[in-house]
Amino acid sequence: MTEHERDSVGSQEAGALEPMSLTRRRFLVGGAAAVGGLALGGDAFARVLIRERPGAHAAPATTAIKRGGTLTAGSIGSTSDTLDPNKEASDMDLQRVFNFHGQLTYFPHDSFDLQYGLAESIELSAGATVATVRLRKGATWHNGKDVTADDLVYTIQRILDPADPHAGLLKSVNGKAVKKLDKQTVRIGLNFADGIWDVPRLSLLPVGFDAKKPVGAGPFMLKTFAPGQRSEFVRNPNYWESGKPYLHELVIIDLADPTAQINALLSGQVDAIDSVPLNETSAISKRSNLKLLTSNGGYFQPIVMRVDKPPFNDSRVREAFRLIVDRDAMVKQAYNNYAVVGNDMPSQTDPAYPHGLPQRKQDLDKAKSLLKAAGHEGLSVTMTTANEGYGLIPGAQVFAQNAKKAGVNLKLNVIPPSAFDPKFLQWPFTQGYWGNKPFAIMWSLLYAPGGIFNETNFNDKQGNQIFSSALKEVDPAKRNAKLQSLEEILYHRGGHIIHTFRQTVDAHSSKFSGFTPDKSTGWSLGQYRYKEVHLA
């Protein structure tokens, strides 16, 4: 099971996007149509939504960049591997997409401030109902043809095609109002005002894209592709970002499981692996020729309480359980210290995150008092979980020990992942696992009524009204103030116990440099941005 993000879903309040299939895998893997969220804004005449950082595409400030070489990465794949960015379903697919295809924008490693990729500018009208996208001049496809507005129109219409499995990804877009203005510019009409419109981060495809003979615009060009086995790429000499990539070739090998990944790295079969099991880090750290890459990206595995099911329909019980958990013990025992303490709110890197709220700590006496007041003294509950996404089982065991000290009898019902995931919205008391993304997107998916991943069945009247208002807010500061109040609602009466934010740990050979810990998304190996990697 991948531990990264599928973000090709969006605002349910506005009906913006729908998933291709309802799985946490799709939420975690980087999305093709819209990876991550973008809180858009505008003024009376529309404004540029994304601003280039000075030197955003410049080469690193060093004279020691060594070009050439072949990087071999090992990731868990299968015979369902694909080069179609609208159908990706694994980390293996994700890293191919990020290196073969080109995206309109991308996240930097340290924030959610989207930067321009194949887009030169993106503007949103004052009413947040019309977007204008101007493509970067000089960008070309791997076959030498120019990237044009026709390609963007094709890409959007392909996603909107009801005959395709990815139809519905862009429900906020009015397909009849997608118009080419000139060779580089497309105007996109939206069906409603949508302040968290996601389309800027879609992967651009050429007109007539054929997944069997794919053409991309990314930093690497396809050499060979054998699903379930390996993918081979060569440097794109005409990539729009001057000087990149540094590597001459990129090879991505399919491996069966984390054990196979570890063995392949230790034996030298591969140069880099993603998502190292936290109990295997010591074996790697002992090798002088290997390096660990640790990212604090906001990935979390919450304890899930269905707020519409007893006993968790009583807010006093939910508060008691938040006070039962020993967060420091979670960090040490469940995650081998590869985590930081959480405070029951997601998206810690979002500007709307209320860092000033008191850090919740274990208080068993208060927890017992709350349970007694709620008529649940001596409570017995069953937590359903599965052995996937390292930390679930250890975390459940730590919480069971904590609960016992509060007089709560917690029984663990450990079932196979194949039985756990399809019913993750049904378990009254369970665990989840979610990747980081802007809070507006997180609320729409996990906490809004009708949110497709609303595993707690949270439905807060006040919160719903605030979120609806925030979607229409064009001033970023005012919008963030409203979003912050939503975080505070979750802090006080939400159905998640977000006890920690788990770090992402990857590993690579010391022969290579350029891997950057990703603080924004937490995606592995520096968002799989291999165009930044070079020989040490």
Side-chain angles (χ1 to χ4, degrees):
M1 171 62 75
T2 180
E3 296 179 353
H4 301 300
E5 310 183 281
R6 175 58 129 177
D7 294 292
S8 53
V9 283
S11 170
Q12 295 303 301
E13 189 277 344
L17 306 171
E18 292 180 351
M20 290 184 275
S21 62
L22 187 56
T23 67
R24 282 182 285 211
R25 173 188 291 268
R26 302 202 69 82
F27 182 95
L28 292 171
V29 181
V35 182
L38 173 59
L40 304 181
D43 58 25
F45 303 102
R47 59 186 286 271
V48 176
L49 300 170
I50 309 171
R51 302 187 185 279
E52 296 276 31
R53 294 180 174 184
H57 305 304
T62 177
T63 58
I65 294 294
K66 295 177 63 175
R67 297 181 179 276
T70 299
L71 174 72
T72 301
S75 192
I76 297 175
S78 70
T79 55
S80 62
D81 289 350
T82 181
L83 283 166
D84 188 332
N86 299 141
K87 299 179 182 179
E88 64 188 65
S90 69
D91 288 344
M92 175 63 79
D93 292 339
L94 178 65
Q95 56 192 300
R96 274 194 300 267
V97 165
F98 278 4
N99 290 284
F100 177 71
H101 293 287
Q103 290 75 42
L104 288 183
T105 65
Y106 66 93
F107 284 126
H109 292 298
D110 59 355
S111 75
F112 284 137
D113 297 327
L114 283 172
Q115 303 296 299
Y116 289 128
L118 290 178
E120 185 176 275
S121 69
I122 301 174
E123 300 176 359
L124 192 69
S125 66
T129 57
V130 177
T132 302
V133 179
R134 294 183 180 86
L135 297 175
R136 184 178 297 276
K137 294 181 180 179
T140 59
W141 298 104
H142 293 159
N143 59 12
K145 295 182 179 180
D146 290 339
V147 174
T148 70
D150 291 324
D151 300 311
L152 178 55
V153 172
Y154 169 81
T155 299
I156 294 173
Q157 297 295 357
R158 183 177 187 265
I159 294 172
L160 293 175
D161 184 355
D164 283 348
H166 42 271
L169 284 176
L170 300 176
K171 285 193 68 176
S172 63
V173 173
N174 180 352
K176 297 180 180 180
V178 178
K179 183 179 180 180
K180 170 185 174 181
L181 299 183
D182 58 42
K183 185 179 178 180
Q184 302 300 128
T185 311
V186 176
R187 185 174 63 206
I188 303 169
L190 304 181
N191 292 315
F192 42 77
D194 187 2
I196 56 171
W197 184 65
D198 284 62
V199 75
R201 195 163 159 78
L202 94 173
S203 292
L204 205 59
L205 300 176
V207 173
F209 175 78
D210 182 355
K212 295 181 179 179
K213 298 179 180 180
V215 174
F220 292 93
M221 303 184 298
L222 183 66
K223 183 178 179 181
T224 64
F225 174 47
Q229 299 178 41
R230 64 192 286 133
S231 312
E232 298 181 357
F233 304 87
V234 297
R235 180 180 186 273
N236 176 8
N238 300 311
Y239 186 54
W240 65 267
E241 196 168 353
S242 180
K244 294 181 181 178
Y246 306 117
L247 297 167
H248 184 259
E249 293 192 12
L250 168 66
V251 177
I252 305 175
I253 296 179
D254 287 57
L255 296 169
D257 51 43
T259 299
Q261 286 182 286
I262 294 292
N263 291 338
L265 181 69
L266 295 178
S267 68
Q269 180 187 0
V270 301
D271 303 306
I273 60 174
D274 52 2
S275 302
V276 174
L278 302 184
N279 58 352
E280 297 285 355
T281 56
S282 60
I284 294 173
S285 62
K286 293 176 182 177
R287 298 290 188 98
S288 61
N289 63 327
L290 299 176
K291 293 184 177 181
L292 292 172
L293 183 72
T294 303
S295 303
N296 296 308
Y299 173 88
F300 65 104
Q301 295 177 324
I303 293 172
V304 179
M305 303 173 288
R306 278 282 297 263
V307 300
D308 60 328
K309 300 288 186 182
F312 303 111
N313 57 344
D314 190 320
S315 62
R316 293 171 296 185
V317 175
R318 301 199 298 275
E319 176 66 9
F321 272 49
R322 283 191 283 267
L323 294 171
I324 284 174
V325 64
D326 184 338
R327 296 161 198 264
D328 291 328
M330 282 286 187
V331 170
K332 297 174 183 177
Q333 299 174 29
Y335 300 110
N336 289 6
N337 289 313
Y338 286 101
V340 294
V341 168
N343 206 22
D344 303 320
M345 299 171 290
S347 306
Q348 63 169 348
T349 57
D350 192 281
Y353 189 87
H355 293 279
L357 285 178
Q359 175 60 56
R360 190 171 273 122
K361 298 181 179 180
Q362 186 183 56
D363 189 334
L364 297 178
D365 289 336
K366 187 174 181 179
K368 291 177 182 179
S369 177
L370 286 167
L371 290 172
K372 184 176 181 179
H376 288 293
E377 192 172 15
L379 178 65
S380 293
V381 292
T382 297
M383 173 186 283
T384 300
T385 188
N387 188 18
E388 62 175 332
Y390 189 89
L392 286 186
I393 298 300
Q397 293 170 338
V398 170
F399 188 72
Q401 296 168 2
N402 299 160
K404 186 176 182 180
K405 295 178 182 179
V408 175
N409 179 29
L410 196 159
K411 177 183 178 182
L412 296 182
N413 176 32
V414 181
I415 62 177
S418 59
F420 180 59
D421 286 330
K423 296 182 178 181
F424 76 93
L425 292 176
Q426 300 176 26
W427 310 116
F429 188 47
T430 183
Q431 292 170 290
Y433 48 96
W434 304 106
N436 196 30
K437 53 185 51 61
F439 178 66
I441 299 297
M442 194 73 78
W443 177 278
S444 71
L445 299 177
L446 286 176
Y447 306 109
I452 56 173
F453 298 115
N454 190 348
E455 58 190 351
T456 65
N457 209 27
F458 194 68
N459 187 357
D460 189 274
K461 183 177 180 180
Q462 180 188 13
N464 298 339
Q465 293 173 344
I466 294 173
F467 184 61
S468 180
S469 176
L471 283 180
K472 299 177 178 65
E473 184 57 67
V474 297
D475 181 88
K478 293 180 179 179
R479 181 173 58 247
N480 284 335
K482 293 178 179 180
L483 294 176
Q484 179 170 311
S485 67
L486 295 179
E487 289 266 33
E488 293 172 358
I489 286 174
L490 297 178
Y491 176 83
H492 290 293
R493 54 182 183 265
H496 274 157
I497 302 174
I498 303 178
H499 43 74
T500 51
F501 291 103
R502 205 201 75 180
Q503 297 170 338
T504 301
V505 182
D506 311 303
H508 64 88
S509 167
S510 59
K511 295 187 299 183
F512 294 90
S513 297
F515 290 103
T516 303
D518 197 73
K519 298 178 182 179
S520 57
T521 67
W523 290 335
S524 284
L525 295 170
Q527 294 187 34
Y528 299 113
R529 208 178 290 164
Y530 298 141
K531 66 182 180 182
E532 300 174 350
V533 176
H534 55 87
L535 292 170

